[in-house]
Amino acid sequence: MSDIPGSLRGAANIPEQEDLPVRSARRHARCLNGHDLEQAGVNGGYHHDLRTSTWTCNLCRELHLPRARWLVIEHGQPTPAEQAAERARVWPVLLVARRPEARAGIGRLELRVRDAAIADVDLQLCGVDHRGVVRRIRVDVAYLRRGFGTVMLDAAMARGPGYHWSTVELDPSPQARAFWATQAPIEQLHLGEPHYCSHMREANGDWF
Ligand SMILES: [Zn+2]
Ligand SMILES: [Zn+2]
């Protein structure tokens, strides 16, 4: 084989844009600019630096719109915390699950990018009563407005398909209200009032 042309060699060294929006791997009917994806068409790709799949809305790309491409976060298969360090050597983007200390207690899902936790969600789950409570979603300020909070909500709810889902009392700030007002959870989610089961109440130290 002849030598690789210089221009191609140069291109391979240009790091890919990393501040892309993110979405969970669940089916999305519309792109981030609101196009029906069946009409607009989508193209699958791969972000080699982050070793993560991407989707691009074809219509957005033709129109040169921002947010045409997004990273696909595998929200349904978290890595147990004990295996996270090892897997992070291979996978720059990793969803990590931290088990609760007590049954039906507070567990955590953490999204790590290059071994830094940039978003997490605290949740309580009960497999006996098929209930889930989303307690708190946090996104690092440097990563806001890119869809990480929504991915964390999808990741939380993927832990209990068909469960009865609710949240704790919501943060009254306009930013938090705007977050919840844009969510379209995959199943019904009761906002602002946790529907704890007796196991969760016991784990929370509340027997009343
Ligand atoms: Zn589009
Ligand atoms: Zn329970």
Tab-separated table of all heavy atoms in Angstrom, residues 66-95:
chain	number	residue	atom	x	y	z
A	66	PRO	N	-28.296	24.030	13.944
A	66	PRO	CA	-27.557	23.490	15.089
A	66	PRO	C	-28.317	22.301	15.678
A	66	PRO	O	-29.510	22.118	15.414
A	66	PRO	CB	-27.519	24.665	16.073
A	66	PRO	CG	-28.686	25.519	15.706
A	66	PRO	CD	-28.906	25.337	14.226
A	67	ARG	N	-27.649	21.505	16.473
A	67	ARG	CA	-28.241	20.357	17.154
A	67	ARG	C	-28.809	19.322	16.174
A	67	ARG	O	-29.786	18.641	16.473
A	67	ARG	CB	-29.336	20.813	18.142
A	67	ARG	CG	-28.766	21.760	19.208
A	67	ARG	CD	-29.844	22.525	19.954
A	67	ARG	NE	-30.604	21.688	20.869
A	67	ARG	CZ	-30.207	21.331	22.080
A	67	ARG	NH1	-29.050	21.746	22.546
A	67	ARG	NH2	-30.967	20.573	22.835
A	68	ALA	N	-28.185	19.233	14.988
A	68	ALA	CA	-28.632	18.243	14.000
A	68	ALA	C	-28.222	16.836	14.437
A	68	ALA	O	-28.902	15.858	14.141
A	68	ALA	CB	-28.021	18.556	12.638
A	69	ARG	N	-27.087	16.743	15.147
A	69	ARG	CA	-26.519	15.435	15.510
A	69	ARG	C	-26.510	15.305	17.032
A	69	ARG	O	-26.282	16.294	17.737
A	69	ARG	CB	-25.082	15.396	14.981
A	69	ARG	CG	-24.356	14.078	15.138
A	69	ARG	CD	-22.911	14.230	14.631
A	69	ARG	NE	-22.213	12.963	14.636
A	69	ARG	CZ	-20.897	12.838	14.820
A	69	ARG	NH1	-20.136	13.913	14.994
A	69	ARG	NH2	-20.326	11.649	14.818
A	70	TRP	N	-26.763	14.106	17.515
A	70	TRP	CA	-26.710	13.888	18.958
A	70	TRP	C	-26.045	12.550	19.281
A	70	TRP	O	-26.028	11.633	18.451
A	70	TRP	CB	-28.094	13.990	19.591
A	70	TRP	CG	-29.106	12.997	19.103
A	70	TRP	CD1	-29.357	11.757	19.620
A	70	TRP	CD2	-30.035	13.159	18.006
A	70	TRP	NE1	-30.374	11.142	18.919
A	70	TRP	CE2	-30.806	11.970	17.933
A	70	TRP	CE3	-30.287	14.190	17.087
A	70	TRP	CZ2	-31.802	11.787	16.973
A	70	TRP	CZ3	-31.283	14.003	16.134
A	70	TRP	CH2	-32.020	12.819	16.085
A	71	LEU	N	-25.484	12.501	20.490
A	71	LEU	CA	-24.871	11.268	20.989
A	71	LEU	C	-25.960	10.393	21.592
A	71	LEU	O	-26.858	10.898	22.267
A	71	LEU	CB	-23.852	11.585	22.079
A	71	LEU	CG	-22.590	12.355	21.666
A	71	LEU	CD1	-21.928	12.942	22.909
A	71	LEU	CD2	-21.620	11.440	20.928
A	72	VAL	N	-25.870	9.104	21.351
A	72	VAL	CA	-26.871	8.170	21.882
A	72	VAL	C	-26.309	7.508	23.144
A	72	VAL	O	-25.313	6.789	23.080
A	72	VAL	CB	-27.215	7.096	20.834
A	72	VAL	CG1	-28.245	6.118	21.396
A	72	VAL	CG2	-27.735	7.752	19.559
A	73	ILE	N	-26.946	7.781	24.269
A	73	ILE	CA	-26.488	7.206	25.529
A	73	ILE	C	-27.297	5.941	25.821
A	73	ILE	O	-28.526	5.985	25.895
A	73	ILE	CB	-26.681	8.216	26.703
A	73	ILE	CG1	-26.014	9.569	26.374
A	73	ILE	CG2	-26.155	7.625	28.012
A	73	ILE	CD1	-24.526	9.531	26.228
A	74	GLU	N	-26.595	4.820	25.974
A	74	GLU	CA	-27.264	3.554	26.296
A	74	GLU	C	-27.743	3.642	27.742
A	74	GLU	O	-27.006	3.357	28.676
A	74	GLU	CB	-26.302	2.380	26.088
A	74	GLU	CG	-25.950	2.109	24.633
A	74	GLU	CD	-27.167	1.740	23.775
A	74	GLU	OE1	-28.163	1.222	24.347
A	74	GLU	OE2	-27.133	1.969	22.568
A	75	HIS	N	-28.990	4.056	27.898
A	75	HIS	CA	-29.497	4.422	29.232
A	75	HIS	C	-30.001	3.214	30.016
A	75	HIS	O	-30.254	3.316	31.205
A	75	HIS	CB	-30.621	5.449	29.084
A	75	HIS	CG	-31.838	4.883	28.408
A	75	HIS	ND1	-31.840	4.528	27.075
A	75	HIS	CD2	-33.067	4.587	28.889
A	75	HIS	CE1	-33.030	4.051	26.777
A	75	HIS	NE2	-33.800	4.069	27.852
A	76	GLY	N	-30.161	2.074	29.342
A	76	GLY	CA	-30.814	0.945	29.989
A	76	GLY	C	-29.866	-0.116	30.548
A	76	GLY	O	-30.325	-1.080	31.142
A	77	GLN	N	-28.573	0.046	30.335
A	77	GLN	CA	-27.632	-0.992	30.769
A	77	GLN	C	-26.505	-0.386	31.597
A	77	GLN	O	-25.361	-0.303	31.135
A	77	GLN	CB	-27.036	-1.695	29.543
A	77	GLN	CG	-28.059	-2.417	28.718
A	77	GLN	CD	-27.816	-2.251	27.224
A	77	GLN	OE1	-26.726	-1.919	26.785
A	77	GLN	NE2	-28.856	-2.466	26.448
A	78	PRO	N	-26.790	0.052	32.820
A	78	PRO	CA	-25.714	0.639	33.630
A	78	PRO	C	-24.701	-0.415	34.065
A	78	PRO	O	-25.031	-1.596	34.202
A	78	PRO	CB	-26.453	1.223	34.834
A	78	PRO	CG	-27.726	0.465	34.926
A	78	PRO	CD	-28.077	0.031	33.528
A	79	THR	N	-23.487	0.039	34.266
A	79	THR	CA	-22.401	-0.811	34.763
A	79	THR	C	-22.392	-0.748	36.285
A	79	THR	O	-22.452	0.349	36.843
A	79	THR	CB	-21.054	-0.268	34.220
A	79	THR	OG1	-21.060	-0.399	32.806
A	79	THR	CG2	-19.874	-1.016	34.798
A	80	PRO	N	-22.341	-1.897	36.979
A	80	PRO	CA	-22.241	-1.841	38.443
A	80	PRO	C	-20.986	-1.069	38.856
A	80	PRO	O	-19.949	-1.177	38.198
A	80	PRO	CB	-22.131	-3.315	38.850
A	80	PRO	CG	-22.666	-4.084	37.686
A	80	PRO	CD	-22.363	-3.267	36.466
A	81	ALA	N	-21.103	-0.295	39.939
A	81	ALA	CA	-20.004	0.586	40.360
A	81	ALA	C	-18.685	-0.164	40.517
A	81	ALA	O	-17.623	0.367	40.196
A	81	ALA	CB	-20.385	1.278	41.663
A	82	GLU	N	-18.765	-1.438	40.963
A	82	GLU	CA	-17.536	-2.205	41.207
A	82	GLU	C	-16.756	-2.446	39.910
A	82	GLU	O	-15.554	-2.679	39.950
A	82	GLU	CB	-17.845	-3.564	41.852
A	82	GLU	CG	-18.745	-3.525	43.090
A	82	GLU	CD	-20.217	-3.338	42.748
A	82	GLU	OE1	-20.761	-4.171	42.009
A	82	GLU	OE2	-20.826	-2.342	43.208
A	83	GLN	N	-17.468	-2.453	38.769
A	83	GLN	CA	-16.789	-2.722	37.488
A	83	GLN	C	-16.486	-1.450	36.707
A	83	GLN	O	-15.945	-1.499	35.602
A	83	GLN	CB	-17.677	-3.621	36.620
A	83	GLN	CG	-17.908	-4.996	37.214
A	83	GLN	CD	-19.060	-5.710	36.505
A	83	GLN	OE1	-19.376	-5.427	35.355
A	83	GLN	NE2	-19.698	-6.622	37.208
A	84	ALA	N	-16.855	-0.292	37.274
A	84	ALA	CA	-16.796	0.952	36.504
A	84	ALA	C	-15.369	1.334	36.124
A	84	ALA	O	-15.107	1.727	34.987
A	84	ALA	CB	-17.459	2.079	37.289
A	85	ALA	N	-14.421	1.212	37.067
A	85	ALA	CA	-13.054	1.660	36.789
A	85	ALA	C	-12.467	0.878	35.617
A	85	ALA	O	-11.829	1.441	34.724
A	85	ALA	CB	-12.195	1.496	38.040
A	86	GLU	N	-12.731	-0.424	35.617
A	86	GLU	CA	-12.188	-1.259	34.553
A	86	GLU	C	-12.818	-0.914	33.199
A	86	GLU	O	-12.125	-0.749	32.201
A	86	GLU	CB	-12.437	-2.727	34.906
A	86	GLU	CG	-11.643	-3.681	34.066
A	86	GLU	CD	-12.045	-5.123	34.343
A	86	GLU	OE1	-12.477	-5.415	35.476
A	86	GLU	OE2	-11.930	-5.943	33.413
A	87	ARG	N	-14.135	-0.779	33.188
A	87	ARG	CA	-14.818	-0.495	31.923
A	87	ARG	C	-14.513	0.909	31.402
A	87	ARG	O	-14.514	1.148	30.198
A	87	ARG	CB	-16.328	-0.696	32.067
A	87	ARG	CG	-16.717	-2.171	32.042
A	87	ARG	CD	-18.219	-2.338	32.109
A	87	ARG	NE	-18.916	-1.715	30.992
A	87	ARG	CZ	-19.195	-2.322	29.845
A	87	ARG	NH1	-18.834	-3.572	29.664
A	87	ARG	NH2	-19.841	-1.690	28.894
A	88	ALA	N	-14.264	1.839	32.320
A	88	ALA	CA	-13.982	3.219	31.912
A	88	ALA	C	-12.677	3.318	31.121
A	88	ALA	O	-12.474	4.273	30.381
A	88	ALA	CB	-13.928	4.133	33.131
A	89	ARG	N	-11.805	2.327	31.261
A	89	ARG	CA	-10.571	2.337	30.480
A	89	ARG	C	-10.867	2.130	29.005
A	89	ARG	O	-10.097	2.523	28.143
A	89	ARG	CB	-9.611	1.245	30.971
A	89	ARG	CG	-8.877	1.672	32.226
A	89	ARG	CD	-7.760	0.698	32.586
A	89	ARG	NE	-7.885	0.352	33.986
A	89	ARG	CZ	-8.005	-0.871	34.469
A	89	ARG	NH1	-7.986	-1.904	33.667
A	89	ARG	NH2	-8.141	-1.066	35.752
A	90	VAL	N	-11.991	1.463	28.720
A	90	VAL	CA	-12.359	1.181	27.332
A	90	VAL	C	-13.415	2.151	26.829
A	90	VAL	O	-13.390	2.589	25.685
A	90	VAL	CB	-12.883	-0.271	27.219
A	90	VAL	CG1	-13.242	-0.599	25.782
A	90	VAL	CG2	-11.850	-1.244	27.764
A	91	TRP	N	-14.379	2.479	27.699
A	91	TRP	CA	-15.531	3.279	27.286
A	91	TRP	C	-15.491	4.657	27.943
A	91	TRP	O	-15.709	4.770	29.143
A	91	TRP	CB	-16.830	2.549	27.652
A	91	TRP	CG	-16.885	1.189	27.038
A	91	TRP	CD1	-16.671	-0.008	27.654
A	91	TRP	CD2	-17.146	0.884	25.661
A	91	TRP	NE1	-16.769	-1.028	26.752
A	91	TRP	CE2	-17.063	-0.520	25.527
A	91	TRP	CE3	-17.431	1.667	24.542
A	91	TRP	CZ2	-17.262	-1.148	24.299
A	91	TRP	CZ3	-17.628	1.025	23.321
A	91	TRP	CH2	-17.543	-0.362	23.210
A	92	PRO	N	-15.234	5.717	27.157
A	92	PRO	CA	-15.151	7.068	27.733
A	92	PRO	C	-16.488	7.556	28.306
A	92	PRO	O	-16.500	8.395	29.198
A	92	PRO	CB	-14.732	7.945	26.553
A	92	PRO	CG	-14.223	7.018	25.500
A	92	PRO	CD	-14.918	5.703	25.717
A	93	VAL	N	-17.607	7.053	27.770
A	93	VAL	CA	-18.930	7.446	28.279
A	93	VAL	C	-19.539	6.225	28.947
A	93	VAL	O	-19.709	5.189	28.315
A	93	VAL	CB	-19.854	7.937	27.136
A	93	VAL	CG1	-21.212	8.329	27.680
A	93	VAL	CG2	-19.202	9.102	26.400
A	94	LEU	N	-19.836	6.349	30.237
A	94	LEU	CA	-20.267	5.169	30.993
A	94	LEU	C	-21.370	5.535	31.982
A	94	LEU	O	-21.244	6.498	32.736
A	94	LEU	CB	-19.050	4.639	31.755
A	94	LEU	CG	-19.089	3.183	32.223
A	94	LEU	CD1	-19.162	2.233	31.044
A	94	LEU	CD2	-17.845	2.873	33.055
A	95	LEU	N	-22.450	4.768	31.944
A	95	LEU	CA	-23.511	4.921	32.933
A	95	LEU	C	-23.242	3.913	34.056
A	95	LEU	O	-23.117	2.721	33.797
A	95	LEU	CB	-24.867	4.649	32.283
A	95	LEU	CG	-26.093	4.832	33.174
A	95	LEU	CD1	-26.280	6.298	33.564
A	95	LEU	CD2	-27.347	4.317	32.467
